[in-house]
Amino acid sequence: MTAVLDEPGAHAAPKTRWWTAPPRPAWEEQPTRAGLAGKGIALGFACLAILFPLWIVVVTSLSSRRTIDRAGGLVMVPEDITFVAYRELLGGGQVTRAAIISVVVTLVGTLFSMTVSVLCAYGLSRSGTLGHRWILMTLMATMFFSAGLIPTYLLVQTLGLTDTYLALILPSAVSVFNILVLRGFFMGISPELIDSARIDGAGELRILWQIVMPLSRAVLAVITLFYAVGYWSAWFNASLYLNDQDMMPLQNVMIQLVQKQEAPVGLGQAIKTGELSGLAVQMAVMVMALLPVAVLSPFVQKHFRKGMLTGAVKG
């Protein structure tokens, strides 16, 4: 009896050559050194395009009148650093009052908007609630259809909100998009966890406060930042509903400075005497308006992916 021996490699898988390999999507390929270098250069230019104007604004706000006159306007290289513009702006007057108004409106408005949005989103995330579908459809319809500017102004005027700080909060207090993001995140929480809390005797408000909200820190941080930035940067409502110059928030004062309509109270004489440069004051107000957002954004940045993507996909 003759044993038949297999040839070496007879049962081995055929080798895959590069010309017979199945094609893969470009995003699954390993980046080449040239590709990594190109991405680094592109990101570097993008960062430079963002940071260079900010650098000019900050340096100009810290420059003396002589340095600004010698540069012919905006200053790129810091010389004769001085904080006179900030000292005068924060020493009392229209800019200081406007900054306090913006801070208070941002804090109160963000708290009110988050309270309404969280309660609405939690109610809509429970499919068995009364009128769930109709309320959801009504809210979504407002994302595509609105009454317009004139009916909104007439409503605010009829309610007696003109020349009040409530006019800066109530007309833009709730965003349907933010409610939908919160609703999607709440729907992703395990129903068994909520049912077990109900069995233990917990009410809806206690479930929301002690179970749902602690599990939703990421999306709550992101939506809070959205509302806060919206209130801090808002200027249109103030220009539309406020007639008293002393009630204007910081953004409106900044617009007046940039357009050179009127110098803030307490700074006009300093600018006329040459102690201050009007351009330095404009840049200093811009820095004051940008500083809170620039400081808070890095702390919330880590929550953006989890908060936005999860809230947008669920439900």
Side-chain angles (χ1 to χ4, degrees):
M1 183 175 179
T2 305
V4 180
L5 299 177
D6 294 335
E7 296 181 1
H11 297 287
K15 294 183 179 180
T16 303
R17 304 298 181 181
W18 64 269
W19 57 82
T20 60
R24 295 191 302 176
W27 57 83
E28 292 184 1
E29 299 288 346
Q30 291 293 331
T32 61
R33 292 184 178 180
L36 291 175
K39 291 179 181 179
I41 293 173
L43 290 175
F45 276 113
C47 292
L48 184 63
I50 295 173
L51 296 178
F52 185 66
L54 294 178
W55 168 262
I56 293 178
V57 169
V58 173
V59 171
T60 305
S61 68
L62 296 174
S63 299
S64 62
R65 186 182 185 91
R66 182 179 59 183
T67 303
I68 294 176
D69 293 340
R70 185 165 58 248
L74 297 175
V75 181
M76 298 188 211
V77 180
E79 296 180 11
D80 299 332
I81 298 298
T82 177
F83 293 89
V84 175
Y86 293 95
R87 186 173 65 247
E88 293 294 332
L89 288 174
L90 298 176
Q94 184 180 5
V95 176
T96 304
R97 183 171 56 251
I100 295 174
I101 292 172
S102 294
V103 171
V104 174
V105 169
T106 300
L107 293 177
V108 175
T110 302
L111 179 61
F112 178 77
S113 298
M114 285 300 298
T115 302
V116 175
S117 299
V118 168
L119 292 176
C120 182
Y122 179 71
L124 293 176
S125 65
R126 306 300 102 188
S127 58
T129 54
L130 180 64
H132 163 269
R133 183 175 298 275
W134 290 105
I135 296 176
L136 182 59
M137 291 297 104
T138 302
L139 289 176
M140 293 183 64
T142 61
M143 298 178 65
F144 307 100
F145 307 99
S146 63
L149 180 60
I150 295 178
T152 303
Y153 180 83
L154 294 177
L155 177 62
V156 173
Q157 187 181 43
T158 304
L159 295 176
L161 298 179
T162 53
D163 284 327
T164 65
Y165 292 118
L166 290 178
L168 305 181
I169 297 176
L170 295 182
S172 57
V174 179
S175 170
V176 179
F177 173 78
N178 293 339
I179 291 177
L180 294 179
V181 172
L182 288 169
R183 173 182 175 268
F185 201 98
F186 292 163
M187 292 181 68
I189 298 176
S190 174
E192 291 79 9
L193 185 62
I194 297 177
D195 292 339
S196 64
R198 288 199 182 100
I199 293 174
D200 292 337
E204 294 296 336
L205 289 179
R206 187 173 182 181
I207 292 174
L208 174 62
W209 181 256
Q210 295 186 352
I211 297 178
V212 175
M213 292 185 65
L215 295 175
S216 308
R217 289 192 183 96
V219 69
L220 291 177
V222 173
I223 300 303
T224 299
L225 180 64
F226 283 174
Y227 277 126
V229 172
Y231 280 114
W232 180 261
S233 304
W235 61 271
F236 184 70
N237 285 349
S239 62
L240 190 64
Y241 303 124
L242 299 182
N243 298 315
D244 189 355
Q245 190 67 27
D246 293 336
M247 298 178 65
M248 291 294 177
L250 183 62
Q251 301 294 337
N252 295 77
V253 174
M254 183 181 69
I255 292 174
Q256 295 174 2
L257 282 172
V258 172
Q259 294 178 347
K260 298 181 180 179
Q261 293 178 356
E262 182 181 352
V265 177
L267 291 178
Q269 188 65 26
I271 294 175
K272 290 179 181 179
T273 57
E275 183 181 359
L276 272 179
S277 171
L279 184 60
V281 174
Q282 294 176 6
M283 298 299 108
V285 176
M286 288 186 183
V287 173
M288 292 174 58
L290 292 173
L291 188 61
V293 178
V295 171
L296 292 177
S297 294
F299 295 98
V300 188
Q301 185 69 32
K302 61 181 180 180
H303 298 296
F304 264 82
R305 176 179 297 180
K306 183 179 179 181
M308 290 304 298
L309 294 184
T310 306
V313 172
K314 295 292 184 180

